Amino acid sequence: MANGTNRRLDVSEFDFDDIKLNLKTFLKAQTTFKDYDFEGSGINSLLDVLAYNTHYLGFNLNMVANEMFMDTSTLRSSIVSHAKTLGYEVDSCRAPYADVNIILNDSTLSSATMSAGTVFTTKVNNIDYQFVTVEDMTRTTAGSSIPFNNIKIYEGTYVTSRYTVDYSSVDQRFILPEDSADTSTLSVEVQNSATDTATTTFIKATDISQLTRNSNVYYLQEVEAGKFEVYFGDGVVSKNLTDGNVVFLKYVVTNKKEANGADSFTSSGSIDTVTSVTVTTLNKAVGGSESEALSSIKINAPLDYASQGRCVTSEDYKLYAKKLFPQTQAVMVFGGDVGSYDPSLGVTDVASYGRVYISIKSTTGNVLTSAQKAQLISDFRKYNVASITPVIIDPEIVYIILNVNFSFDSSKTTKEKNTLVSDVNTTLTNYNNNSLKSFNNMFRHSYVSTLIDDTNDSILSNVTNVTLAKYFTPILGTTDNTGYNLYFNNAFYNPHTEHNKSSGGIVGSTGFIVGIETEVSFFDDDGSGNLRRYQGLITRTYIDSTAGTINYTTGHVIINAIKISSISNVDGLPSTKIRMTVIPSSKDIVPVRNQILELDMVNISVSGEIDTIAVGDSGASSSYTTSTSYSSNTSY
Amino acid sequence: MAITESLRNNDAYTDAQGQNKSSRSAQIYSDLDLFFGMNNSDKDVNIIYDVQAVKRSVRNLVLTNQYEKPFHPEIYSGVRGMLFELMTPTTAVILARQVEDVIENFEPRARLVGVRASPNLDQNSYEVSVEFYIVNAPSELVELTLALERIR
């Protein structure tokens, strides 16, 4: 039929219109059907079908191609499958867990057994939740009671799924049917048969190179709909099951995050016939989380593969910190070669080889509890290189107090000054939440200054001064004197010796009372590297002119041994901490190692003035005043 | 499709037989027969020509609903919606206008003379009569009549 020259069909396009155009071009080579260009024609309808079909298949192929790579796949099943080929095990949701001491008040029993699934009840936000134990425990009497100390209890319901092995069924799978099962609580037991009740406990396989054909291990994988499947070896890699075996899967089905924070538990019934049960909370419930997010799998699976199940580089530790401590919001790791931590000195740049320092900001709060740290160190043990000791340190927060003075052209806006001030405050709040509050997030002064200018078209310029603040918690009422170290790790403003000596230098602090003194003391400096303690808000009476030292270059403040007996209010509220403020040398502030920068939104000062020159005030140029850039406040 | 053309379903097929392969045309239109009738001589699918092809095309356009054409929601007549309106002379005028619009916009081979839509109250249908010249055969007025009615 085709007798023209365009006999070759161009197949390079995937869009409907382009495909249809190519088909029309192809049809130009023939004369049998000439109406293909008219939208109402029959041949045009046929081209619609052909082009739509091709487009449809092309689109489908494109989506299939997307799902073939972890980077571009969007379906959970695809991402999980890619992760599986990298040997990465996707985290299920996690139940909140709490540490408790349970005491059975009974003097008659010599021992008692608390079985897995023992229920304790609690309330969070006035909603009832139950926590359960996940293993059988037996303890002996301690006289009048039987103590079960340091027991982990998990929020949720303790359930058992039972399967009888039947290899003749091709569909047989051992699936945890609930989609909110916490696999970290899973225990797998295999009973020989329905009549032979001898059972074997299988453990989760972690390293295939350590297995033999008789290893009693199971494997775990996420399957469709976010459920998890347990499967077993084939008799070569590890032990396989035989027909008639009965598999018991025992685990906790949880409400995930909802019961985080539960801190008061009561036993809901008798434990081994004892009804008088006392439950003491050691650590409130933490750790409840959703199953691992797709973005997290995409990031962590290749890293996990790269680390090969071992913590060697800083990146390995970051990955495993997130994996082992699900509430990790941000993590910072540095080796002992670039710094170290000493309980009395804090984090310094003194090298301490053989250690790796891990600082974690948790989603529940800034600081990990000592129990969480101990658990994490214990969890890390499996992955550590033998000679390296991990140390968990708290993040240090350096607050930035801004003093913003902006001028605006009132003829360019209908907003009042107070509204603009409020808008600038919102800008700073957003900047604080989005660009600070995490490790390695630097404060860049010109960027913030531009943000303030861009808040409203009418804002013409701003002068923004920066003060740094850190808190320290003194030990009160002790008989011994205690010294303190504060590392700002940013140079202080000290253009010359004795800078601003008469007016208190560049250091300030909130008030405190020393020993048996009755008047409130404060700190300042003499511009020559000495910290001074004074009293009197209006006229400063120096009590101690060498209360400590200041290194203006490194940003290190040492407070000599001092006996602080009480602390004044901070920002009008009772406090256990003293705030020390300094003026930095640079207005760009860098967070070093475990430091996190954060704007102090309570003390930030924002003020605006109408720009008299911009609004055309006659004589404005002679009366125009500007804000100074050289007098940041030292005291807040 | 919610529209049938009742008795005149095949009008476009039959009433142009005499004008197939018109020798007056400088350009002959030829199209696929969407009824997929068989040509007895070569056993291949029928080809329709000239007036018949254009009439089929007009009919196809009028009966096309919005979104029926993939990726081209602008190609439709909208008569279906009108069949669900109250049957009044005003509706008939609007319906005729819609038919006019779709032919003007998407059938360049038809030089439209007029469209009439007459409500047939007894049968709940409209009789739509389209008169046009085919650009390659300007001497012959072509009339296409369609009966449009709701089937539900």
Side-chain angles (χ1 to χ4, degrees):
Chain A
M1 130 175 126
N3 55 7
T5 52
N6 293 324
R7 296 187 177 191
R8 197 169 286 172
L9 180 60
D10 188 351
V11 293
S12 60
E13 307 294 341
F14 272 123
D15 281 345
F16 175 84
D17 284 330
D18 296 331
I19 296 166
K20 196 169 168 184
L21 191 64
N22 285 345
L23 289 170
K24 286 179 183 175
T25 307
F26 176 69
L27 287 180
K28 280 180 185 168
Q30 51 83 47
T31 54
T32 311
F33 299 114
K34 295 197 290 190
D35 290 357
Y36 46 79
D37 263 336
F38 303 112
E39 294 297 339
S41 67
I43 190 75
N44 195 287
S45 299
L46 190 64
L47 294 187
D48 277 342
V49 173
L50 291 173
Y52 183 68
N53 191 42
T54 307
H55 173 78
Y56 189 103
L57 292 175
F59 181 79
N60 191 39
L61 184 67
N62 190 40
M63 299 311 286
V64 169
N66 276 347
E67 296 302 319
M68 288 173 71
F69 304 97
M70 182 182 276
D71 295 332
T72 50
S73 52
T74 54
L75 299 176
R76 186 172 182 93
S77 56
S78 308
I79 295 168
V80 167
S81 177
H82 288 304
K84 203 190 301 176
T85 61
L86 294 175
Y88 182 75
E89 188 192 310
V90 177
D91 288 339
S92 72
C93 58
R94 291 283 183 256
Y97 62 88
D99 297 312
V100 293
N101 285 343
I102 301 159
I103 297 169
L104 310 190
N105 302 306
D106 187 288
S107 56
T108 58
L109 295 173
S110 59
S111 70
T113 298
M114 183 162 58
S115 54
T118 301
V119 173
F120 300 88
T121 56
T122 186
K123 273 182 191 286
V124 176
N125 295 331
N126 225 18
I127 299 172
D128 291 319
Y129 292 98
Q130 68 170 28
F131 280 63
V132 293
T133 55
V134 294
E135 56 183 332
D136 295 338
M137 285 166 281
T138 302
R139 298 288 186 275
T140 53
T141 183
S144 60
S145 64
I146 303 169
F148 289 78
N149 289 332
N150 214 3
I151 305 298
K152 264 196 169 47
I153 53 176
Y154 294 82
E155 186 277 323
T157 310
Y158 191 67
V159 299
T160 302
S161 294
R162 176 190 161 128
Y163 295 93
T164 302
V165 177
D166 177 8
Y167 279 121
S168 63
S169 166
V170 291
D171 295 329
Q172 179 157 53
R173 299 169 77 187
F174 310 113
I175 289 180
L176 281 58
E178 299 83 2
D179 54 10
S180 55
D182 176 356
T183 57
S184 71
T185 62
L186 174 66
S187 67
V188 177
E189 290 171 4
V190 178
Q191 185 174 305
N192 288 353
S193 70
T195 51
D196 179 357
T197 56
T199 59
T200 309
T201 300
F202 279 55
I203 59 169
K204 191 163 77 175
T206 50
D207 186 352
I208 194 170
S209 64
Q210 304 296 316
L211 301 180
T212 68
R213 65 173 58 191
N214 291 318
S215 299
N216 293 325
V217 297
Y218 68 87
Y219 308 88
L220 190 65
Q221 64 179 355
E222 186 180 317
V223 291
E224 61 276 3
K227 294 183 169 57
F228 278 80
E229 178 186 11
V230 168
Y231 60 103
F232 298 90
D234 55 0
V236 178
V237 175
S238 63
K239 193 169 185 175
N240 65 341
L241 304 185
T242 53
D243 282 350
N245 284 163
V246 183
V247 177
F248 292 94
L249 309 177
K250 300 175 178 177
Y251 50 92
V252 170
V253 177
T254 178
N255 292 300
K256 305 169 189 174
K257 297 187 286 192
E258 292 174 17
N260 276 342
D263 59 359
S264 175
F265 302 93
T266 51
S267 172
S268 72
S270 63
I271 298 174
D272 203 357
T273 70
V274 180
T275 52
S276 173
V277 178
T278 308
V279 184
T280 315
T281 306
L282 300 176
N283 291 300
K284 64 182 182 180
V286 291
S289 63
E290 295 287 342
S291 53
E292 189 168 6
L294 298 185
S295 56
S296 168
I297 301 172
K298 283 186 177 185
I299 291 169
N300 289 332
L303 292 176
D304 182 77
Y305 178 67
S307 77
Q308 292 289 309
R310 278 154 189 76
C311 287
V312 180
T313 67
S314 300
E315 291 303 312
D316 298 344
Y317 277 98
K318 282 183 188 173
L319 171 74
Y320 276 87
K322 287 179 187 167
K323 198 176 169 67
L324 299 173
F325 188 68
Q327 305 99 69
T328 300
Q329 187 186 73
V331 59
M332 175 72 188
V333 176
F334 59 94
D337 55 331
V338 296
S340 63
Y341 173 76
D342 181 289
S344 60
L345 295 175
V347 177
T348 64
D349 50 11
V350 177
S352 173
Y353 297 101
R355 288 190 163 79
V356 59
Y357 295 91
I358 304 157
S359 188
I360 294 175
K361 187 182 181 196
S362 143
T363 52
T364 54
N366 287 327
V367 179
L368 274 66
T369 63
S370 51
Q372 287 173 325
K373 287 178 189 171
Q375 181 67 45
L376 201 48
I377 297 279
S378 155
D379 291 344
F380 264 120
R381 209 159 280 150
K382 282 185 282 187
Y383 307 102
N384 279 340
V385 173
S387 60
I388 300 292
T389 309
V391 179
I392 311 291
I393 54 175
D394 295 330
E396 285 180 33
I397 297 186
V398 176
Y399 289 93
I400 297 171
I401 303 172
L402 298 180
N403 192 338
V404 182
N405 293 290
F406 66 84
S407 56
F408 68 102
D409 183 347
S410 56
S411 64
K412 282 189 177 173
T413 180
T414 55
K415 292 187 173 181
E416 291 184 338
K417 184 170 75 176
N418 289 345
T419 313
L420 289 175
V421 167
S422 166
D423 289 351
V424 170
N425 266 314
T426 306
T427 299
L428 293 174
T429 304
N430 291 340
Y431 169 76
N432 192 28
N433 292 334
N434 299 332
S435 302
L436 295 177
K437 288 189 174 180
S438 190
F439 299 103
N440 286 335
N441 283 358
M442 194 174 161
F443 174 85
R444 298 182 194 277
H445 181 267
S446 66
Y447 177 74
V448 175
S449 190
T450 308
L451 285 182
I452 294 169
D453 282 353
D454 291 347
T455 301
N456 191 288
D457 286 343
S458 66
I459 297 180
L460 302 171
S461 65
N462 72 86
V463 174
T464 299
N465 292 328
V466 179
T467 304
L468 298 183
K470 271 196 93 165
Y471 290 84
F472 67 100
T473 309
I475 302 165
L476 298 181
T478 55
T479 51
D480 296 328
N481 296 332
T482 313
Y484 303 94
N485 278 275
L486 279 82
Y487 297 92
F488 287 84
N489 291 325
N490 284 271
F492 297 159
Y493 182 59
N494 186 243
H496 56 85
T497 305
E498 299 194 349
H499 167 69
N500 203 26
K501 179 179 181 180
S502 58
S503 303
I506 49 102
V507 172
S509 78
T510 54
F512 54 92
I513 289 178
V514 176
I516 57 169
E517 293 174 5
T518 53
E519 201 165 337
V520 177
S521 293
F522 304 91
F523 287 122
D524 71 10
D525 78 306
D526 63 359
S528 303
N530 294 310
L531 191 70
R532 302 183 294 189
R533 180 164 70 86
Y534 69 92
Q535 294 175 344
L537 279 173
I538 298 164
T539 307
R540 299 184 181 198
T541 307
Y542 287 98
I543 310 298
D544 184 355
S545 293
T546 54
T549 56
I550 297 168
N551 187 328
Y552 296 105
T553 313
T554 60
H556 180 196
V557 179
I558 300 171
I559 302 169
N560 291 341
I562 189 170
K563 194 188 297 177
I564 294 173
S565 53
S566 73
I567 298 170
S568 306
N569 287 359
V570 175
D571 300 332
L573 297 170
S575 173
T576 58
K577 295 175 179 178
I578 296 174
R579 178 171 61 213
M580 181 160 279
T581 45
V582 298
I583 299 173
S585 172
S586 166
K587 289 182 177 176
D588 280 356
I589 309 298
V590 59
V592 179
R593 291 186 288 266
N594 62 329
Q595 283 184 326
I596 292 176
L597 300 181
E598 187 172 333
L599 294 185
D600 179 351
M601 297 308 295
V602 175
N603 288 298
I604 273 182
S605 146
V606 179
S607 59
E609 288 301 328
I610 294 174
D611 191 300
T612 49
I613 291 182
V615 297
D617 187 348
S618 63
S621 58
S622 57
S623 61
Y624 193 91
T625 56
T626 53
S627 301
T628 176
S629 300
Y630 295 97
S631 70
S632 300
N633 287 342
T634 52
S635 297
Y636 282 91
Chain B
M1 191 183 289
I3 302 165
T4 64
E5 301 91 63
S6 70
L7 296 173
R8 293 189 173 81
N9 208 358
N10 286 332
D11 277 2
Y13 176 66
T14 56
D15 69 0
Q17 294 297 308
Q19 298 167 38
N20 278 352
K21 296 185 180 179
S22 165
S23 58
R24 293 165 297 182
S25 299
Q27 178 187 7
I28 296 174
Y29 303 122
S30 58
D31 192 9
L32 178 71
D33 175 11
L34 276 193
F35 296 130
F36 292 102
M38 189 176 71
N39 185 328
N40 283 328
S41 59
D42 59 8
K43 309 295 184 193
D44 205 346
V45 69
N46 262 338
I47 299 170
I48 54 175
Y49 296 95
D50 281 0
V51 178
Q52 190 184 14
V54 177
K55 287 172 83 172
R56 286 282 183 89
S57 175
V58 168
R59 171 185 165 279
N60 288 343
L61 285 172
V62 171
L63 299 183
T64 301
N65 291 318
Q66 196 170 21
Y67 303 116
E68 242 174 47
K69 278 267 184 194
F71 301 97
H72 285 282
E74 76 280 9
I75 303 176
Y76 76 107
S77 70
V79 298
R80 177 181 182 155
M82 297 314 298
L83 296 181
F84 288 83
E85 298 293 331
L86 288 177
M87 189 171 266
T88 63
T90 309
T91 312
V93 170
I94 296 170
L95 191 148
R97 173 59 60 87
Q98 286 177 325
V99 173
E100 263 178 55
D101 285 347
V102 73
I103 295 171
E104 295 275 5
N105 289 335
F106 300 110
E107 188 41 273
R109 293 172 294 182
R111 187 164 64 75
L112 199 60
V113 174
V115 177
R116 276 177 288 115
S118 317
N120 186 338
L121 295 170
D122 292 337
Q123 293 183 0
N124 280 326
S125 70
Y126 290 94
E127 188 168 278
V128 178
S129 171
V130 186
E131 289 180 341
F132 58 90
Y133 288 104
I134 294 174
V135 290
N136 281 337
S139 60
E140 188 176 351
L141 181 67
V142 180
E143 184 178 349
L144 173 67
T145 309
L146 300 166
L148 306 176
E149 66 175 342
R150 286 168 51 180
I151 60 170
R152 65 182 167 87

